């Protein structure tokens, strides 16, 4: 991975590692692609090869920062622990975003107007601060928002 | 392979029983099954038992714990887990053991109790257990997955909120008349449409609860036992399927899915049902009643298509036509479904088989499907688990 890709950002810590990075083009989901069977994995450590694939050419990649909304829901009850956020987000959006690489990724949708969500909308990957840790860092996850 | 019959079955009613333990519930159902089959415990030659994931050490060895109640006999006891298709695995193993001639009579046990409160993550290491991610990073309880698929149906086929509510209305009429059901209230369309939204478009009464319960079948190829049994039911096929590469379903525990489909949606259930049709030499057109896994109203609609009872996108029209009702072309969930029972992970697959058998044995009372000769029980477990059982008389 090149120098301008950051695993952490000043003051921000991913709640779990190896899932996304910050780049000059915004937040990008980490993935791995098998060049033998042309399959993308997420998380990158969860292989899902095509049957018969020789499994010899898997490399880590970053997904495009932008995709389209393939499906969504609006969740009206807070998810039970271990999910944790201090933000008053209920009801909150969850989306399935289709990336140009040919993989859909699920995640929170940070959007003030949930009623305007529609399949097909252009989306971008962002980060979302779930809560602050004792040292004052933002503990973050990936999320999506509609490109206006 | 020999002809194999269900010669007896037993249920512990579904509900919440905090005062009982799972062994007690299981024993009630085993007693009923033994009595129904006219078989003594010492005649059981193999025990195939579904495990309970919330039952600790005892739950993981449920077969041994239940065996000890009736007296340990030294027979093989196998404990198995396949998520909500756990009971399918137990029945399939019991069937194979009997059909192959290893033993003549076997029992399949399904018993479960759900924990207090919400189901949630079972570990905290995402590299060992990918399921951790959805809880820590995305706030996605199970119904969210169903809602994401349901939304696609609304978009692709024009299914409506009324269709989802109609499923609950229909199933609640059956549940009200099933003595073993947990929920007996008859709902109106208005009541369902005004119940709280949980994850849009799925409302509270369109999503099943979690319950405790136990279900047992006794399976035999012993001619004398079959002859002595009250209306034995033949197992025409009992199969299992896993998912197929390229399945576009956003599957519970995953946070990704292929954007381009190379396999059917719910491919594990497609696979299990097609194996069963081939093995039984029967198809959807031959089936009089179907118990499908209605974890939500979305499942009810989707499974009619997945299992080939109508074409893609046609399920809502089939529902609206009344052909999925008890006197329709295919009676769907005349038990009242998970909608009226709630799901009890390790027990529900066997419970579905018992409900189908009860119909074929003419024991369904006011819910009886007339002239029912062929019935099917279809299960769906997370992470690519499914089982199909076809029974005939
Ligand atoms: Zn590959």
């Amino acid at each position: 991975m090149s120098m301008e890709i950051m695993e952490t950002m000043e003051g921000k810590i991913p709640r779990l590692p190896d899932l996304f990075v910050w780049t000059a083009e915004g937040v990008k989901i980490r993935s791995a692609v098998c060049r033998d069977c042309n399959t993308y994995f997420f998380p990158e450590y969860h292989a899902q090869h095509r049957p018969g694939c020789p499994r010899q050419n898997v490399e880590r990649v970053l997904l495009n920062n932008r995709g389209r909304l393939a499906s969504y829901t609006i969740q009206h009850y807070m998810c039970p622990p271990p999910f944790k956020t201090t933000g008053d987000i209920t009801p909150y959006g969850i989306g399935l975003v289709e990336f140009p690489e040919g993989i859909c990724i699920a995640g929170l949708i940070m959007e003030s107007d949930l009623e305007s969500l529609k399949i097909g909308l252009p989306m971008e990957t962002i980060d979302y601060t779930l809560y602050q840790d004792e040292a004052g860092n933002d503990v973050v996850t990936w999320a999506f928002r509609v490109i206006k | 392979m020999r002809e194999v019959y269900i010669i007896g079955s037993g249920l512990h009613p579904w509900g919440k029983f905090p005062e009982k333990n799972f062994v007690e519930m299981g024993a009630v159902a085993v007693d009923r099954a033994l009595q129904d089959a006219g078989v003594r415990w010492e005649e059981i030659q193999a025990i195939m038992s579904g495990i309970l994931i919330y039952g600790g050490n005892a739950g993981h060895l449920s077969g041994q714990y239940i065996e000890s109640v009736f007296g340990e006999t030294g027979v093989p006891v196998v404990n198995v887990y396949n998520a909500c298709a756990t009971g399918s695995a137990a029945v399939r193993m019991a069937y194979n053991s009997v059909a192959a001639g290893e033993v003549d009579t076997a029992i399949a046990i399904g018993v479960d109790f759900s924990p207090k409160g919400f189901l949630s993550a079972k570990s905290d290491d995402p590299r060992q257990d990918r399921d951790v991610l959805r809880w820590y990073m995305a706030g996605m309880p199970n119904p969210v997955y169903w809602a994401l698929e349901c939304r696609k149906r609304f978009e692709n086929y024009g299914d409506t909120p009324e269709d989802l509510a109609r499923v609950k209305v229909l199933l609640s009429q059956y549940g009200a008349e099933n003595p073993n059901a947990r929920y007996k209230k008859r709902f109106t369309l208005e009541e369902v449409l005004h119940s709280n939204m949980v994850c849009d478009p799925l409302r509270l009464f369109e999503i099943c609860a979690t319950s405790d319960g136990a279900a047992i079948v006794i399976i035999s190829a012993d001619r004398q036992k079959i002859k002595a049994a009250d209306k034995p039911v033949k197992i025409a096929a009992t199969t299992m399927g896993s998912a197929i590469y390229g399945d576009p379903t956003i599957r519970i525990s995953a946070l990704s899915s292929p954007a381009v489909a190379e396999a059917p949606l719910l491919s594990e259930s497609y696979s299990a049902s097609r194996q069963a049709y081939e093995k039984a030499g029967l198809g959807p057109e031959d089936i009089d009643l179907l118990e499908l896994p209605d974890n939500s109203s979305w499942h009810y609609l989707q499974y009619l298509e997945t299992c080939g009872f109508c074409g893609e996108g046609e399920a809502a029209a089939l529902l609206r036509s009344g052909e999925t009702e008890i006197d329709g072309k295919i009676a769907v969930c005349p038990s009242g479904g998970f909608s009226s029972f709630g799901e009890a992970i390790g027990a529900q697959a066997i419970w579905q088989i018992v409900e189908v058998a009860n119909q074929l044995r003419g024991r369904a009372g006011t819910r009886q499907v007339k002239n029912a000769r062929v019935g099917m029980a279809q299960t769906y477990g997370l992470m690519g688990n499914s089982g199909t059982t076809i029974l005939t008389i």
Side-chain angles (χ1 to χ4, degrees), chain A residues 34-39 41 49-50 53-55 58:
Chain A
C34 173
R35 299 293 181 198
D36 292 327
C37 70
N38 194 32
T39 308
F41 309 151
H49 293 277
R50 182 186 294 272
C53 176
R55 298 182 289 114
V58 176

Side-chain angles (χ1 to χ4, degrees), chain A residues 7-121:
Chain A
E7 304 280 335
T8 57
M9 189 77 160
E10 197 180 336
K12 292 187 178 185
I13 299 171
R15 187 167 182 203
L16 291 172
D18 310 328
L19 301 168
F20 60 95
V21 294
W22 287 269
T23 75
E25 295 160 321
V27 175
K28 292 188 173 180
I29 300 284
R30 277 173 59 159
S31 174
V33 61
C34 173
R35 299 293 181 198
D36 292 327
C37 70
N38 194 32
T39 308
Y40 284 80
F41 309 151
F42 182 77
E44 63 191 32
Y45 46 82
H46 185 86
Q48 293 177 283
H49 293 277
R50 182 186 294 272
C53 176
R55 298 182 289 114
Q56 294 304 304
N57 292 291
V58 176
E59 62 178 287
R60 296 197 328 190
V61 292
L62 300 178
L63 297 183
N64 205 293
N65 167 257
R66 296 183 167 204
R68 68 178 273 282
L69 193 58
S71 191
Y72 66 93
T73 181
I74 301 163
Q75 170 72 15
H76 288 251
Y77 292 86
M78 180 48 63
C79 182
F83 188 69
K84 176 178 169 185
T85 178
T86 45
D88 181 17
I89 61 169
T90 310
Y92 60 99
I94 291 171
L96 192 60
V97 174
E98 178 184 337
F99 288 91
E101 290 85 351
I103 183 172
C104 297
I105 305 287
L108 297 168
I109 298 178
M110 284 304 136
E111 178 65 43
S112 53
D113 185 12
L114 292 171
E115 293 302 315
S116 70
L117 291 176
K118 260 175 47 183
I119 288 177
L121 286 175

